[in-house]
Amino acid sequence: MNRSRIQHGEQWDGPAIAVFWDQSLVWGLLCIDALSLAGIPFRLLSAAEICAGIPGSYRILLVPGGWAAHKVRALGESGKREITRFVEEGGAYIGFCGGAGMALSSPPGLYLTPIERMPLSERLPSASGRIYVSGTTSHPIWQNIPPRIPVSVWWPSQFRWMPANGRPAGPLALYDEPAGDFRTADIRVCDLDASSSWPDLEKSYGINLDPGRIKGHPAIIEVPRGRGRLILSYAHLETPGDALGNRLFFNTLSYLNKLSEKANERGEGGTPPQERGPGDEHSRTGIRRAKEAAAELIAFGEANLLWNWRNPWLLNWRRGVRGLEYGTLLVTLACLDGCGENLPISNERAGAWRERAGQLEKDTINFCSLAKQLLLEEKIASQTGRVSKLGKVNDRVDALRSALFGNKMNHGGLCRALFDLIDGMLLDVLKDRPGTLPVRLSYRTPDGGFR
């Protein structure tokens, strides 16, 4: 049992947390960074490992953000059944954003609770930044935390509220007023004055924008399932720098650890640790060149006034173009490059790593070249009319978008193939290390360069 001291003086007194890694990317990095800073041990589990059976030593399964559709695809039917078994037999499930949505009864989902997602037409689809939430202060997760705190949301869905299995699903936090840099679409709410008309803005933008639409709606809920428990949060409590949100995250894990009935039934499980080291130079060079190509793409977008940096791990992009995917590409490649000292180095794995790194370099350079073409075409098209991310624009833009991202918001095309490759490589370099591990999320240097 690990007993590590966290920033606010308390200690974690429980087994390691299982983290479902697949299709999490930057949101997975945020989670394991927060766990590391809190001194909470964890182990990353792939979808294949979950399908083989979640070891009984784990009491809590943490599912980071990311597109629920891609997570469900990775799990398949056997993974879905195993997570259901884990919870019903007494395990605890905590999900953030896409990880919360994955547990719901809207497709694609695990149907762990009858609660569904609110339809897109009814919710606030483009909310991001900090917003106050009011807590259910009688609940243990709110111990020593003010009743109203700012937390971060990053384009959340919303719960369609209903009872769960005849018993009320408990709201642990409700949305309140916007705070700080809260935005809907590209509008920073604090910049609007009292005379601003949300109905007029919504008519102009063609989407819901008024933050009053989510006031009083659940941000975090607790749901029973069998002998287990789920805590689902559209608030990203793992966001770096959110001191009170991070504290609420720790309290939630502590509560679930004490509540869970899971026992050490089958041992730690998982794959045996791999021999680690700096790997061969060919692998490291391929990863570094991929990161450099992504950095050039981001600099290209900055030079064309398409985005700027919102924080060290997230872009703030112009409406009508994608930005999350491009920023995620650089963040994940920077992390992969920074973990170069932890590459698998056995002869058996070195060859495979060399091949993957070469493919990564080739695919990233190709993706970034096409992305620059797309961004210029989108910028030109925006001068003659409104350009939306999914709507038809012109033959050139439509063809490039289809090739790069497919035809849905949850990225497909070359982006999906590239992220699948990065996802697996990150898992290989981050897992199988004892205790906690630090993750260097910030890749933007004070002089504006990249590391």
Side-chain angles (χ1 to χ4, degrees), residues 280-352:
D280 64 54
E281 192 58 34
H282 291 291
S283 296
R284 300 192 69 180
T285 299
I287 293 170
R288 189 170 300 115
R289 287 175 177 167
K291 185 193 77 169
E292 290 168 354
E296 289 174 5
L297 172 63
I298 298 304
F300 174 88
E302 286 184 295
N304 280 279
L305 306 180
L306 299 176
W307 51 59
N308 58 359
W309 289 104
R310 188 165 182 172
N311 58 46
W313 52 272
L314 183 68
L315 290 173
N316 180 53
W317 55 92
R318 197 166 84 177
R319 189 165 180 254
V321 304
R322 291 185 184 247
L324 181 60
E325 292 85 356
Y326 299 131
T328 293
L329 180 63
L330 181 53
V331 170
T332 53
L333 288 174
C335 181
L336 193 58
D337 183 46
C339 292
E341 75 285 352
N342 194 41
L343 298 183
I345 61 172
S346 66
N347 291 334
E348 180 181 319
R349 292 166 67 88

XYZ file of all heavy atoms in Angstrom, residues 280-352:
575
model
N 16.777 3.297 -29.639
C 17.782 3.599 -30.661
C 17.554 4.997 -31.227
O 16.472 5.562 -31.140
C 17.774 2.533 -31.771
C 16.470 2.501 -32.550
O 16.056 3.550 -33.064
O 15.889 1.416 -32.644
N 18.572 5.541 -31.814
C 18.528 6.922 -32.288
C 17.527 7.107 -33.427
O 16.939 8.174 -33.571
C 19.922 7.374 -32.720
C 20.042 8.871 -32.951
C 19.663 9.687 -31.716
O 19.917 9.232 -30.583
O 19.084 10.779 -31.903
N 17.323 6.062 -34.230
C 16.362 6.175 -35.330
C 14.953 6.442 -34.803
O 14.221 7.277 -35.350
C 16.370 4.892 -36.165
C 17.624 4.679 -36.946
N 17.970 5.470 -38.023
C 18.622 3.783 -36.806
C 19.121 5.058 -38.528
N 19.548 4.037 -37.796
N 14.578 5.748 -33.746
C 13.250 5.952 -33.169
C 13.106 7.351 -32.611
O 12.112 8.054 -32.869
C 12.984 4.919 -32.069
O 12.944 3.615 -32.596
N 14.096 7.795 -31.867
C 14.026 9.115 -31.250
C 14.017 10.217 -32.304
O 13.323 11.228 -32.160
C 15.183 9.301 -30.279
C 15.200 8.279 -29.152
C 16.176 8.645 -28.058
N 15.727 9.828 -27.325
C 16.402 10.361 -26.308
N 17.537 9.821 -25.908
N 15.944 11.422 -25.689
N 14.792 10.026 -33.389
C 14.825 11.020 -34.451
C 13.477 11.123 -35.155
O 13.002 12.221 -35.451
C 15.930 10.667 -35.469
O 17.197 10.676 -34.815
C 15.954 11.672 -36.614
N 12.836 9.982 -35.429
C 11.534 10.004 -36.074
C 10.495 10.726 -35.243
O 9.697 11.518 -35.765
N 10.489 10.476 -33.939
C 9.548 11.150 -33.036
C 9.815 12.651 -33.005
O 8.900 13.472 -33.071
C 9.649 10.544 -31.624
C 9.146 9.090 -31.633
C 8.856 11.381 -30.619
C 9.427 8.337 -30.356
N 11.096 13.009 -32.944
C 11.447 14.431 -32.865
C 11.053 15.167 -34.146
O 10.548 16.297 -34.096
C 12.943 14.578 -32.605
C 13.381 16.006 -32.290
C 14.817 16.046 -31.806
N 14.971 15.261 -30.592
C 15.705 14.163 -30.505
N 16.343 13.714 -31.562
N 15.796 13.511 -29.370
N 11.264 14.539 -35.288
C 10.885 15.182 -36.551
C 9.380 15.338 -36.670
O 8.887 16.328 -37.230
C 11.442 14.376 -37.723
C 12.952 14.519 -37.899
C 13.467 13.602 -38.996
N 14.895 13.792 -39.207
C 15.665 12.971 -39.919
N 15.116 11.889 -40.495
N 16.953 13.216 -40.069
N 8.640 14.374 -36.148
C 7.176 14.499 -36.135
C 6.757 15.681 -35.274
O 5.889 16.480 -35.665
C 6.551 13.207 -35.623
N 7.372 15.823 -34.108
C 7.046 16.945 -33.231
C 7.388 18.275 -33.901
O 6.621 19.247 -33.820
C 7.806 16.830 -31.914
C 7.436 17.912 -30.894
C 8.401 17.978 -29.737
C 9.687 18.683 -30.140
N 10.547 18.987 -28.981
N 8.518 18.332 -34.583
C 8.917 19.567 -35.264
C 7.927 19.939 -36.360
O 7.611 21.121 -36.557
C 10.327 19.411 -35.837
C 11.404 19.361 -34.759
C 12.753 18.916 -35.298
O 12.835 18.533 -36.495
O 13.753 18.958 -34.536
N 7.412 18.931 -37.083
C 6.412 19.214 -38.119
C 5.141 19.776 -37.498
O 4.526 20.712 -38.029
C 6.112 17.940 -38.906
N 4.729 19.219 -36.357
C 3.532 19.716 -35.672
C 3.752 21.127 -35.147
O 2.857 21.978 -35.216
C 3.161 18.781 -34.532
N 4.946 21.398 -34.627
C 5.257 22.744 -34.132
C 5.221 23.758 -35.269
O 4.759 24.892 -35.100
C 6.626 22.745 -33.457
N 5.696 23.363 -36.443
C 5.647 24.258 -37.606
C 4.204 24.538 -38.012
O 3.869 25.660 -38.422
C 6.417 23.637 -38.776
C 7.924 23.628 -38.577
C 8.649 22.882 -39.686
O 7.969 22.462 -40.655
O 9.879 22.726 -39.596
N 3.343 23.526 -37.918
C 1.936 23.723 -38.235
C 1.300 24.719 -37.271
O 0.547 25.620 -37.685
C 1.196 22.383 -38.180
C -0.328 22.441 -38.302
C -0.742 23.000 -39.657
C -0.940 21.060 -38.088
N 1.592 24.584 -35.997
C 1.028 25.513 -35.010
C 1.541 26.926 -35.257
O 0.774 27.904 -35.192
C 1.369 25.054 -33.579
C 0.751 23.680 -33.292
C 0.879 26.079 -32.564
C -0.739 23.598 -33.481
N 2.836 27.072 -35.562
C 3.393 28.389 -35.865
C 2.743 28.976 -37.121
O 2.501 30.187 -37.207
C 4.905 28.274 -36.050
N 2.444 28.129 -38.090
C 1.760 28.554 -39.313
C 0.387 29.128 -38.982
O -0.008 30.189 -39.496
C 1.629 27.347 -40.249
C 0.821 27.585 -41.493
C 1.419 28.080 -42.638
C -0.539 27.298 -41.525
C 0.672 28.294 -43.796
C -1.291 27.499 -42.671
C -0.681 28.004 -43.814
N -0.357 28.446 -38.127
C -1.667 28.940 -37.732
C -1.585 30.245 -36.966
O -2.426 31.144 -37.138
N -0.582 30.377 -36.112
C -0.389 31.636 -35.382
C -0.094 32.779 -36.337
O -0.638 33.879 -36.204
C 0.746 31.482 -34.379
C 0.422 30.665 -33.143
C 1.560 30.640 -32.164
O 2.624 30.080 -32.505
O 1.400 31.173 -31.047
N 0.790 32.529 -37.311
C 1.174 33.569 -38.266
C -0.019 34.016 -39.108
O -0.074 35.175 -39.553
C 2.296 33.061 -39.167
N -0.975 33.113 -39.334
C -2.155 33.445 -40.123
C -3.347 33.858 -39.258
O -4.479 33.913 -39.750
C -2.534 32.249 -41.003
C -1.681 32.150 -42.244
O -1.925 32.833 -43.231
N -0.653 31.314 -42.191
N -3.074 34.139 -37.987
C -4.082 34.651 -37.054
C -5.279 33.728 -36.920
O -6.423 34.157 -36.760
C -4.555 36.048 -37.491
C -3.455 37.099 -37.707
C -4.065 38.418 -38.142
C -2.610 37.265 -36.457
N -5.001 32.409 -36.967
C -6.052 31.415 -36.829
C -6.204 30.934 -35.399
O -7.252 30.378 -35.056
C -5.781 30.228 -37.759
C -5.735 30.563 -39.252
C -5.361 29.336 -40.063
C -7.074 31.116 -39.712
N -5.190 31.104 -34.580
C -5.268 30.724 -33.176
C -4.138 31.367 -32.389
O -3.174 31.905 -32.939
C -5.227 29.204 -33.009
C -4.098 28.492 -33.724
C -2.753 28.673 -33.579
C -4.259 27.474 -34.726
N -2.056 27.832 -34.404
C -2.949 27.080 -35.109
C -5.345 26.832 -35.299
C -2.721 26.084 -36.079
C -5.117 25.857 -36.250
C -3.829 25.486 -36.634
N -4.289 31.342 -31.079
C -3.223 31.693 -30.153
C -3.292 30.706 -28.994
O -4.120 29.801 -28.982
C -3.346 33.146 -29.675
C -4.677 33.418 -28.997
O -5.539 32.553 -28.882
N -4.861 34.642 -28.534
N -2.412 30.895 -28.024
C -2.361 29.942 -26.911
C -3.263 30.397 -25.777
O -3.136 31.507 -25.276
C -0.923 29.769 -26.410
C -0.105 29.023 -27.395
C 0.827 29.528 -28.259
C -0.173 27.621 -27.662
N 1.336 28.530 -29.052
C 0.742 27.356 -28.705
C -0.928 26.584 -27.137
C 0.920 26.073 -29.218
C -0.754 25.312 -27.643
C 0.171 25.068 -28.669
N -4.161 29.532 -25.389
C -5.040 29.795 -24.257
C -4.342 29.435 -22.954
O -4.512 30.101 -21.938
C -6.331 28.983 -24.408
C -7.398 29.317 -23.401
C -8.741 28.766 -23.837
N -9.794 29.104 -22.921
C -11.078 28.875 -23.159
N -11.459 28.319 -24.306
N -11.996 29.207 -22.270
N -3.614 28.365 -22.961
C -2.738 27.958 -21.853
C -1.662 27.059 -22.463
O -1.680 26.820 -23.670
C -3.532 27.268 -20.729
C -4.283 26.042 -21.206
O -3.735 25.212 -21.923
N -5.540 25.903 -20.802
N -0.701 26.559 -21.682
C 0.409 25.817 -22.294
C 0.033 24.520 -22.987
O 0.854 23.963 -23.701
C 1.333 25.538 -21.093
C 1.034 26.604 -20.111
C -0.437 26.827 -20.243
N -1.190 24.022 -22.816
C -1.564 22.759 -23.441
C -2.809 22.856 -24.312
O -3.297 21.849 -24.828
C -1.786 21.672 -22.374
C -2.740 22.068 -21.284
C -2.431 22.712 -20.122
C -4.160 21.886 -21.277
N -3.573 22.938 -19.384
C -4.654 22.433 -20.070
C -5.063 21.295 -22.155
C -5.992 22.427 -19.730
C -6.414 21.281 -21.831
C -6.858 21.847 -20.622
N -3.326 24.057 -24.527
C -4.577 24.208 -25.264
C -4.560 25.473 -26.111
O -4.218 26.558 -25.630
C -5.759 24.265 -24.285
C -7.153 24.359 -24.907
C -7.508 23.069 -25.647
C -8.197 24.636 -23.821
N -4.945 25.331 -27.380
C -5.083 26.476 -28.267
C -6.435 27.152 -28.090
O -7.398 26.543 -27.639
C -4.974 26.022 -29.729
C -3.617 25.546 -30.238
C -3.764 24.980 -31.647
C -2.600 26.667 -30.208
N -6.490 28.414 -28.491
C -7.739 29.147 -28.620
C -7.866 29.492 -30.105
O -7.126 30.309 -30.625
C -7.707 30.417 -27.764
C -8.996 31.200 -27.869
O -10.070 30.672 -27.673
N -8.878 32.482 -28.196
N -8.765 28.811 -30.819
C -8.779 28.924 -32.263
C -9.968 29.719 -32.775
O -10.974 29.893 -32.091
C -8.798 27.537 -32.907
C -9.912 26.649 -32.465
C -11.144 26.514 -33.043
C -9.917 25.776 -31.328
N -11.901 25.605 -32.353
C -11.167 25.128 -31.281
C -8.952 25.456 -30.349
C -11.504 24.208 -30.299
C -9.283 24.540 -29.363
C -10.536 23.932 -29.345
N -9.812 30.200 -34.017
C -10.845 30.996 -34.641
C -12.025 30.117 -35.036
O -11.848 28.983 -35.472
C -10.279 31.698 -35.886
C -11.142 32.849 -36.359
C -10.400 33.721 -37.341
N -10.487 33.188 -38.706
C -9.971 33.801 -39.761
N -9.279 34.923 -39.598
N -10.095 33.284 -40.963
N -13.211 30.668 -34.912
C -14.416 29.933 -35.249
C -14.395 29.507 -36.725
O -13.995 30.260 -37.594
C -15.638 30.802 -34.959
C -16.956 30.065 -35.066
C -18.056 30.865 -34.416
N -19.338 30.167 -34.515
C -20.320 30.521 -35.335
N -20.183 31.582 -36.110
N -21.440 29.838 -35.367
N -14.819 28.265 -36.977
C -14.893 27.768 -38.344
C -13.751 26.861 -38.739
O -13.813 26.187 -39.758
N -12.673 26.849 -37.926
C -11.570 25.921 -38.177
C -11.425 25.018 -36.956
O -11.885 25.342 -35.866
C -10.232 26.654 -38.453
C -10.374 27.610 -39.608
C -9.721 27.374 -37.204
N -10.781 23.888 -37.157
C -10.476 23.014 -36.027
C -9.214 23.529 -35.334
O -8.311 24.039 -35.980
C -10.269 21.586 -36.498
C -11.552 20.914 -36.993
C -11.325 19.470 -37.328
N -12.505 18.845 -37.894
C -13.217 17.885 -37.297
N -12.870 17.452 -36.104
N -14.272 17.354 -37.902
N -9.190 23.351 -34.031
C -8.003 23.737 -33.286
C -7.603 22.703 -32.259
O -6.425 22.494 -31.996
N -8.616 22.023 -31.678
C -8.333 21.036 -30.645
C -7.435 19.923 -31.186
O -6.484 19.505 -30.522
C -9.630 20.448 -30.107
C -9.496 19.412 -28.988
C -8.802 20.009 -27.767
C -10.859 18.853 -28.604
N -7.718 19.452 -32.388
C -6.938 18.356 -32.954
C -5.498 18.778 -33.217
O -4.556 18.030 -32.930
C -7.581 17.868 -34.261
C -8.919 17.179 -34.057
C -10.089 18.133 -33.989
O -9.866 19.367 -34.033
O -11.230 17.663 -33.880
N -5.307 19.983 -33.763
C -3.953 20.435 -34.071
C -3.138 20.635 -32.798
O -1.965 20.259 -32.722
C -4.009 21.738 -34.871
C -4.732 21.629 -36.198
C -5.715 22.569 -36.545
C -4.459 20.610 -37.102
C -6.385 22.493 -37.762
C -5.131 20.522 -38.316
C -6.093 21.459 -38.637
O -6.756 21.379 -39.837
N -3.765 21.253 -31.789
C -3.062 21.430 -30.527
C -2.753 20.112 -29.848
O -1.663 19.915 -29.309
N -3.720 19.187 -29.887
C -3.516 17.866 -29.294
C -2.348 17.152 -29.961
O -1.567 16.462 -29.294
C -4.794 17.024 -29.432
O -5.820 17.604 -28.612
C -4.574 15.584 -28.989
N -2.220 17.305 -31.267
C -1.118 16.669 -31.984
C 0.226 17.113 -31.412
O 1.091 16.284 -31.118
C -1.210 17.010 -33.476
C -0.123 16.420 -34.368
C -0.171 14.893 -34.370
C -0.238 16.972 -35.793
N 0.397 18.407 -31.218
C 1.675 18.892 -30.705
C 1.884 18.505 -29.246
O 2.979 18.090 -28.856
C 1.775 20.408 -30.857
C 3.080 21.038 -30.365
C 4.301 20.370 -30.996
C 3.097 22.533 -30.632
N 0.846 18.621 -28.424
C 0.980 18.274 -27.006
C 1.411 16.817 -26.838
O 2.329 16.502 -26.081
C -0.352 18.508 -26.257
C -0.295 17.923 -24.850
C -0.672 19.983 -26.186
N 0.753 15.926 -27.561
C 1.051 14.501 -27.393
C 2.418 14.139 -27.967
O 3.141 13.335 -27.385
C -0.043 13.640 -28.044
O -0.243 14.050 -29.405
C -1.350 13.767 -27.282
N 2.786 14.753 -29.096
C 4.105 14.477 -29.666
C 5.209 15.053 -28.788
O 6.281 14.448 -28.652
C 4.199 15.048 -31.083
C 3.390 14.298 -32.151
C 3.437 15.050 -33.474
C 3.915 12.876 -32.335
N 4.963 16.230 -28.181
C 5.954 16.801 -27.271
C 6.154 15.901 -26.061
O 7.280 15.711 -25.593
C 5.518 18.199 -26.826
N 5.051 15.330 -25.546
C 5.160 14.396 -24.423
C 5.907 13.140 -24.849
O 6.777 12.656 -24.123
C 3.779 14.049 -23.908
S 3.789 12.924 -22.486
N 5.591 12.618 -26.022
C 6.258 11.416 -26.523
C 7.744 11.659 -26.700
O 8.583 10.828 -26.322
C 5.614 10.999 -27.847
C 5.950 9.614 -28.402
C 5.577 8.519 -27.416
C 5.231 9.401 -29.726
N 8.098 12.812 -27.229
C 9.514 13.157 -27.402
C 10.190 13.324 -26.043
O 11.329 12.891 -25.845
C 9.626 14.445 -28.219
C 11.062 14.837 -28.503
O 11.862 13.957 -28.903
O 11.400 16.019 -28.330
N 9.485 13.934 -25.096
C 10.057 14.129 -23.769
C 10.254 12.841 -22.994
O 11.044 12.787 -22.054
N 9.524 11.789 -23.390
C 9.654 10.491 -22.729
C 10.638 9.585 -23.458
O 10.631 8.366 -23.264
C 8.299 9.799 -22.646
S 7.116 10.608 -21.553
N 11.487 10.162 -24.292
C 12.410 9.364 -25.088
C 13.331 8.487 -24.284
O 13.775 7.432 -24.768
N 13.593 8.880 -23.046
C 14.472 8.060 -22.206
C 13.771 6.818 -21.694
O 14.409 5.949 -21.078
C 14.982 8.890 -21.022
C 13.983 9.136 -19.904
C 12.920 10.179 -20.235
O 13.048 10.829 -21.302
O 11.990 10.359 -19.424
N 12.472 6.704 -21.973
C 11.698 5.587 -21.445
C 11.200 4.655 -22.546
O 10.265 3.891 -22.353
C 10.491 6.128 -20.654
C 9.835 5.060 -19.793
O 10.520 4.259 -19.178
N 8.513 5.055 -19.758
N 11.828 4.701 -23.723
C 11.402 3.824 -24.804
C 11.763 2.377 -24.493
O 12.791 2.105 -23.867
C 12.072 4.232 -26.124
C 11.773 5.621 -26.681
C 12.472 5.795 -28.023
C 10.283 5.828 -26.852
N 10.937 1.424 -24.939
C 11.305 0.014 -24.804
C 12.583 -0.261 -25.605
O 12.705 0.166 -26.743
C 10.110 -0.721 -25.420
C 8.993 0.262 -25.405
C 9.627 1.596 -25.569
N 13.556 -0.964 -25.010
C 14.839 -1.136 -25.678
C 15.218 -2.589 -25.932
O 16.292 -2.854 -26.453
C 15.980 -0.472 -24.860
C 16.088 -1.125 -23.473
C 15.787 1.010 -24.763
C 17.301 -0.679 -22.688
N 14.353 -3.544 -25.591
C 14.703 -4.926 -25.879
C 14.821 -5.097 -27.389
O 14.163 -4.408 -28.175
C 13.638 -5.878 -25.325
O 12.413 -5.690 -26.010
N 15.688 -6.017 -27.807
C 15.890 -6.235 -29.236
C 14.585 -6.557 -29.945
O 14.338 -6.132 -31.074
C 16.897 -7.368 -29.459
C 18.294 -6.975 -29.037
O 18.626 -5.790 -29.046
N 19.114 -7.950 -28.670
N 13.734 -7.298 -29.249
C 12.464 -7.715 -29.837
C 11.559 -6.527 -30.130
O 10.865 -6.487 -31.139
C 11.773 -8.680 -28.875
C 10.433 -9.189 -29.365
C 9.804 -10.127 -28.347
O 10.537 -10.953 -27.760
O 8.593 -10.017 -28.140
N 11.600 -5.531 -29.246
C 10.708 -4.378 -29.385
C 11.347 -3.217 -30.136
O 10.645 -2.358 -30.664
C 10.261 -3.911 -28.003
C 9.344 -4.914 -27.302
C 9.187 -4.596 -25.832
N 8.469 -3.351 -25.591
C 7.153 -3.248 -25.486
N 6.403 -4.328 -25.648
N 6.585 -2.103 -25.250
N 12.674 -3.169 -30.178
C 13.349 -2.039 -30.815
C 12.990 -1.946 -32.293
O 12.767 -0.850 -32.825
C 14.849 -2.156 -30.634
N 12.926 -3.082 -32.969
C 12.592 -3.070 -34.382
C 11.195 -2.543 -34.634
O 10.964 -1.745 -35.553
N 10.247 -2.990 -33.813
C 8.868 -2.524 -33.959
C 8.766 -1.032 -33.669
O 8.028 -0.302 -34.343
C 7.953 -3.312 -33.026
